[in-house]
């Protein structure tokens, strides 16, 4: 792979036996988003290939940090170096029969630092009320839904070949968000 890039995708499908569309987040490395289709199908086998992408982005920067994919054989990351985290925040609004979610990336030295950033977001502060507080899903002991270091949720193949390098102080344009209904065969 000449120019490996990190992609973040929100996948959607309605698996057999489900009444509503289900979603999951997928991180993988490729040169173009269409290169990820085989890995997407492998990631969610219950969907039997009948899924779509609701949103995607190439991750090049997060909050003033440059995010690059480098070969694993390149110089290893320094101890205590910044890491890239994915967080899924959940919250509620009075009178709304739903759990709302906010997905974010954070650069921090550890999970606690990423959680602290999540707790500063407007979503976290304003989506929730007494008895139904905002949270990060499946993060025990903390009010946050999920939090993962991105390198840990890459495909097995990507983990073997690449690592994510974070460089502070690089200011660039925001990553473009691609939103809509993207069928896999049209990526």
């Amino acid at each position: 792979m000449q120019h490996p890039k990190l992609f973040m995708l929100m996948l959607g499908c309605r698996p057999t036996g489900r009444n509503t569309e289900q979603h999951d987040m997928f991180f993988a490395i490729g040169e173009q988003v269409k290169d990820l289709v085989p890995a997407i199908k492998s990631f969610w086998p219950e969907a039997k290939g009948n899924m779509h992408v609701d949103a995607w982005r190439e991750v090049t920067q997060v909050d003033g940090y440059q995010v690059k994919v480098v070969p694993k054989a390149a110089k290893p990351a320094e101890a205590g170096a910044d890491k890239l985290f994915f967080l899924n925040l959940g919250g509620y609004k009075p009178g709304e029969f739903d759990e709302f979610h906010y997905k974010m990336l954070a650069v921090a030295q550890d999970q606690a630092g990423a959680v602290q950033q999540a707790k500063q977001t407007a979503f976290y502060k304003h989506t929730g009320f007494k008895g139904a507080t905002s949270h990060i899903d499946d993060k025990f002991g903390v009010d946050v839904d999920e939090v993962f270091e991105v390198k840990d949720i890459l495909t097995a193949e990507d983990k073997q070949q690449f690592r994510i390098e974070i460089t502070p102080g690089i200011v660039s344009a925001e990553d473009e968000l691609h939103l809509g209904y993207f069928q896999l065969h049209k990526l």
Side-chain angles (χ1 to χ4, degrees), residues 51-108:
M51 66 187 103
H52 60 277
V53 175
D54 283 307
W56 68 272
R57 79 185 256 196
E58 177 188 337
V59 181
T60 64
Q61 68 86 31
V62 174
D63 294 330
Y65 291 85
Q66 181 182 33
V67 177
K68 279 178 57 178
V69 174
V70 296
K72 195 139 190 183
K75 184 179 107 183
E78 299 172 24
D82 289 317
K83 300 170 181 84
L84 181 63
F85 291 89
F86 164 70
L87 297 97
N88 182 32
L89 285 64
Y92 307 95
K93 295 179 184 178
E96 296 279 339
F97 191 80
D98 206 351
E99 179 186 6
F100 297 91
H101 287 93
Y102 177 70
K103 287 134 181 66
M104 65 175 281
L105 295 174
V107 171

Side-chain angles (χ1 to χ4, degrees), residues 16 32 36 38 43 63 79 103 119 123 128 137 152 164 168 185:
T16 303
Q32 302 175 65
L36 308 178
F43 172 73
D63 294 330
K103 287 134 181 66
K119 288 184 173 186
F123 179 92
D137 278 346
D152 294 336
I164 298 170
H185 71 279

Side-chain angles (χ1 to χ4, degrees), residues 1-177:
M1 194 177 309
Q2 295 281 84
H3 304 286
K5 300 172 188 170
L6 176 63
F7 290 94
M8 172 181 177
L9 295 85
M10 182 189 319
L11 304 178
C13 80
R14 191 170 63 77
T16 303
R18 299 289 175 222
N19 296 321
T20 60
E21 182 177 340
Q22 312 289 293
H23 291 96
D24 204 349
M25 297 302 296
F26 178 72
F27 290 84
I29 295 169
E31 290 193 52
Q32 302 175 65
V33 72
K34 71 179 183 178
D35 297 339
L36 308 178
V37 172
I40 290 168
K41 289 178 178 179
S42 176
F43 172 73
W44 203 345
E46 303 84 8
K48 298 182 172 122
N50 188 20
M51 66 187 103
H52 60 277
V53 175
D54 283 307
W56 68 272
R57 79 185 256 196
E58 177 188 337
V59 181
T60 64
Q61 68 86 31
V62 174
D63 294 330
Y65 291 85
Q66 181 182 33
V67 177
K68 279 178 57 178
V69 174
V70 296
K72 195 139 190 183
K75 184 179 107 183
E78 299 172 24
D82 289 317
K83 300 170 181 84
L84 181 63
F85 291 89
F86 164 70
L87 297 97
N88 182 32
L89 285 64
Y92 307 95
K93 295 179 184 178
E96 296 279 339
F97 191 80
D98 206 351
E99 179 186 6
F100 297 91
H101 287 93
Y102 177 70
K103 287 134 181 66
M104 65 175 281
L105 295 174
V107 171
Q109 288 190 356
D110 56 26
Q111 195 177 74
V115 168
Q116 280 308 111
Q117 288 181 44
K119 288 184 173 186
Q120 300 309 309
T121 65
F123 179 92
Y124 191 87
K125 291 178 180 179
H126 302 293
T127 309
F129 53 95
K130 188 174 179 168
T133 58
S134 57
H135 57 281
I136 301 176
D137 278 346
D138 293 342
K139 179 67 181 96
F140 302 104
V142 183
D143 293 324
V144 172
D145 269 0
E146 286 93 22
V147 58
F148 298 101
E149 189 174 345
V150 171
K151 74 173 184 68
D152 294 336
I153 56 175
L154 288 170
T155 67
E157 183 178 316
D158 288 345
K159 287 181 204 179
Q160 290 176 347
Q161 294 181 32
F162 303 103
R163 68 178 180 82
I164 298 170
E165 184 176 86
I166 308 293
T167 307
I170 304 293
V171 178
S172 60
E174 292 285 319
D175 291 341
E176 182 179 356
L177 302 181

